[in-house]
Amino acid sequence: MSEDEHARRGIDLDKPNAARVYDYILGGQLNYAVDRMFAEQVLAAQPNARERARLNRQWLRRAVRFGLDQGIRQFLDIGSGMPTVGHVHEVAQAVDPAARVVYVDNEPIAVAHSEIVLEDNENAVMVHADAEFPDDVLDHDTTEMMLDLDQPLMVVMALFVHFIPDERDPARLIAAYRDALAPGSYLALSSATYEQQSDDTARAVAMYRKSANPVTPRSADELRALVDGFEIVDPGIVFIPEWRPDDPAEVPPDPAECGGLALVARKN
């Protein structure tokens, strides 16, 4: 892709991008040299970063299956990132091929590749929008075509809200999505945290401050405040691998090493 094409698509190659860095850490190929260089620096500072990414992806699959068990058949994945194995539509449509999924991201490479992956899937689509502007997402023609907001759905915010600093009011953002949902809808959220973390996490957070997507880790109490108006389901706000594991043996000896907290909450 030429420099002119990068510019036309809004792709900034001067700074690493969180979606592309995460793709590299997960073993994907939808990234650039600037992302790979930054990711290797993160891995040097935080050697278990790949394991953390894997654990979050496993939680995402469990959360989606939980939603399906509650009768949810439509999903809105906010800040979905790159189309990697085990994405929401693969999990949901393995249970019900008619399950509908809308992915949302503003990173041009994530959007372009998601569109390719989903080209032949009539029940899963990509919306190119900035999720910090809920009206742009919810009123988008594609969203309105795919999702019935009068019926329950699950909003997924996997490792998304920690990219929204306090000054941009993440509580207001989540409340805007909450208010648009029908009763019986769910929010699945994971976030980086400082709780019970080593200096590795502080070093990685400091590195992300130099990227296009600085990170704001949050405590369980801070996340609880962000989801006001939802009822958090069992087991509450826990370290990511502790959230309804398929097998207790899958939970590592020190769950805090995952570096993140997870929750699922219901709108009554």
Side-chain angles (χ1 to χ4, degrees):
M1 192 182 294
S2 68
E3 290 186 9
D4 287 345
E5 182 68 4
H6 283 133
R8 186 181 72 80
R9 295 193 180 197
I11 301 171
D12 182 3
L13 297 185
D14 292 331
K15 285 187 174 183
N17 174 272
R20 301 193 305 258
V21 169
Y22 191 64
D23 172 71
Y24 177 80
I25 289 174
L26 280 170
Q29 299 180 5
L30 308 181
N31 46 73
Y32 292 95
V34 66
D35 309 306
R36 295 189 287 273
M37 184 180 302
F38 179 78
E40 288 297 339
Q41 293 171 352
V42 171
L43 288 165
Q46 194 173 70
N48 69 341
R50 281 199 168 95
E51 177 66 4
R52 290 182 173 199
R54 185 186 69 83
L55 289 169
N56 184 71
R57 180 61 60 170
Q58 288 181 335
W59 164 79
L60 172 63
R61 292 195 285 266
R62 297 196 303 274
V64 170
R65 291 200 303 268
F66 171 82
L68 291 162
D69 289 345
Q70 310 312 307
I72 298 296
R73 292 297 183 269
Q74 47 181 4
F75 298 83
L76 177 63
D77 189 345
I78 300 295
S80 56
M82 300 297 183
T84 53
V85 174
H87 237 36
V88 173
H89 73 281
E90 293 183 353
V91 179
Q93 292 174 359
V95 173
D96 185 347
R100 299 187 301 279
V101 180
V102 172
Y103 294 109
V104 180
D105 211 293
N106 64 349
E107 207 289 319
I109 294 297
V111 172
H113 283 277
S114 294
E115 289 174 343
I116 293 170
V117 169
L118 301 173
E119 186 175 10
D120 297 323
N121 192 323
E122 63 181 15
N123 289 323
V125 296
M126 186 76 194
V127 169
H128 189 183
D130 187 338
E132 283 199 63
F133 298 91
D135 287 347
D136 291 353
V137 174
L138 298 170
D139 295 339
H140 195 284
D141 289 346
T142 301
T143 306
E144 292 184 336
M145 175 186 69
M146 290 294 292
L147 302 180
D148 180 359
L149 295 182
D150 291 329
Q151 298 298 319
L153 60 84
M154 174 175 275
V155 174
V156 176
M157 294 185 177
L159 299 184
F160 167 75
V161 75
H162 63 213
F163 292 118
I164 313 297
D166 293 339
E167 57 267 27
R168 299 214 303 264
D169 200 356
R172 175 204 56 79
L173 171 69
I174 292 174
Y177 284 103
R178 179 201 66 212
D179 291 347
L181 301 178
S185 294
Y186 288 86
L187 169 67
L189 182 151
S190 63
S191 170
T193 186
Y194 274 133
E195 290 193 0
Q196 300 182 41
Q197 297 303 298
S198 67
D199 292 341
D200 288 356
T201 295
R203 284 194 292 269
V205 169
M207 292 177 64
Y208 268 95
R209 292 196 187 105
K210 303 173 186 176
S211 77
N213 311 97
V215 172
T216 302
R218 293 188 169 92
S219 68
D221 285 343
E222 288 172 317
L223 293 179
R224 187 173 292 104
L226 292 187
V227 299
D228 183 49
F230 287 97
E231 179 183 356
I232 299 172
V233 304
D234 289 339
I237 304 175
V238 294
F239 290 111
I240 287 170
E242 294 180 308
W243 197 90
R244 295 178 181 251
D246 293 326
D247 182 346
E250 295 176 355
V251 180
D254 182 5
E257 287 187 356
C258 73
L261 298 170
L263 66 92
V264 172
R266 185 179 191 273
K267 177 178 177 179
N268 292 322

